[in-house]
Amino acid sequence: MSTSERLIESTRELLWERGYVGTSPKAILERAGAGQGSMYHHFKGKPDLALAAIRRTAQEMRATAAALLDGPGTPYERIEAYLRRERDVLRGCPVGRLTMDPDVIADDALRAPVDETLDWLRERIAGLVEEGRERGEFAPSLDGAEIAAAVVATVQGGYVLARASGSPTAFEAGVRGLLSLLATHQNTAA
């Protein structure tokens, strides 16, 4: 792995663990096993490196979600696959955690990949709900944008509740509850 890749990966990990302020250039260099001038050789500084790391994290999240949301099955089954996918619930969502970082949210450039990713996720899920409505798998009364917002809120809120309790139980309960509500709207349109 190149030095710039090690710097990006180290920054990604540190942002997830410590947040923007807690991610010092010294910590990045130590984690990456890189020399003192390497950050500035490859990046303009910490903000530039953090942006590269946030973009990479956002791309990974999209790829993981797309593999499930674009995979086989009915729209309900694909939403269910996304909700039930294996994740480290107690560690939280690397993109969602960035929304709680005041330094990321205050910086338009750093916040942009976070906003874009969450918007993409909501749009993709809303599209699945609409697809299900068109195919007669979901009731016509379902609003794709509202269901998508509920799915994203359940996942992100589930991470928060699981971390607060130290147990994935709250996350799992939220997913089961949302799926049972969504299941009640299946096949009623046919």
Side-chain angles (χ1 to χ4, degrees), residues 6 14 20 32 37 43 45 50 54-55 78 80 82 100 107 134 136 144 146-147 182 188:
R6 288 195 326 268
L14 289 165
Y20 186 80
F43 301 95
I54 291 169
R55 283 182 177 149
R78 289 183 275 161
E80 179 182 32
Y82 169 73
M100 294 180 262
D107 186 306
E134 289 169 11
E146 289 177 359
I147 297 301
L182 192 54
T188 59

Side-chain angles (χ1 to χ4, degrees), residues 8-115:
I8 290 170
E9 289 304 312
S10 296
T11 303
R12 288 180 62 204
E13 292 168 10
L14 289 165
L15 285 171
W16 195 357
E17 294 167 13
R18 303 179 183 181
Y20 186 80
V21 170
T23 300
S24 69
K26 181 180 178 187
I28 294 168
L29 294 171
E30 285 175 5
R31 174 93 41 116
Q36 198 159 7
S38 13
M39 179 189 303
Y40 300 100
H41 175 73
H42 296 285
F43 301 95
K44 294 175 190 166
K46 178 182 166 182
D48 188 41
L49 177 54
L51 181 57
I54 291 169
R55 283 182 177 149
R56 175 81 50 86
T57 297
Q59 288 168 350
E60 259 188 31
M61 180 179 163
R62 284 186 194 197
T64 300
L68 298 165
L69 297 172
D70 298 338
T74 66
Y76 176 88
E77 290 167 342
R78 289 183 275 161
I79 292 169
E80 179 182 32
Y82 169 73
L83 286 168
R84 293 190 186 272
R85 81 169 175 80
E86 188 174 324
R87 20 170 88 87
D88 188 352
V89 175
L90 296 180
R91 194 160 182 221
C93 174
V95 171
R97 297 251 323 250
L98 293 168
T99 67
M100 294 180 262
D101 190 318
D103 295 287
V104 171
I105 295 305
D107 186 306
D108 291 342
L110 295 177
R111 189 181 67 246
V114 175
D115 285 343

Side-chain angles (χ1 to χ4, degrees), residues 122-143:
R122 284 188 298 267
E123 287 171 16
R124 185 66 194 101
I125 294 168
L128 279 175
V129 173
E130 296 305 319
E131 178 186 330
R133 285 179 40 191
E134 289 169 11
R135 293 168 61 175
E137 295 171 9
F138 288 132
S141 61
L142 279 187
D143 181 284

Side-chain angles (χ1 to χ4, degrees), residues 55 82 96 106 116 119 132 136 145 180:
R55 283 182 177 149
Y82 169 73
E116 291 162 8
D119 286 347
S180 69

Side-chain angles (χ1 to χ4, degrees), residues 89-90 154 157-177:
V89 175
L90 296 180
T154 297
Y159 280 125
V160 170
L161 294 173
R163 286 177 55 84
S165 68
S167 168
T169 304
F171 184 96
E172 295 160 359
V175 165
R176 283 192 310 274

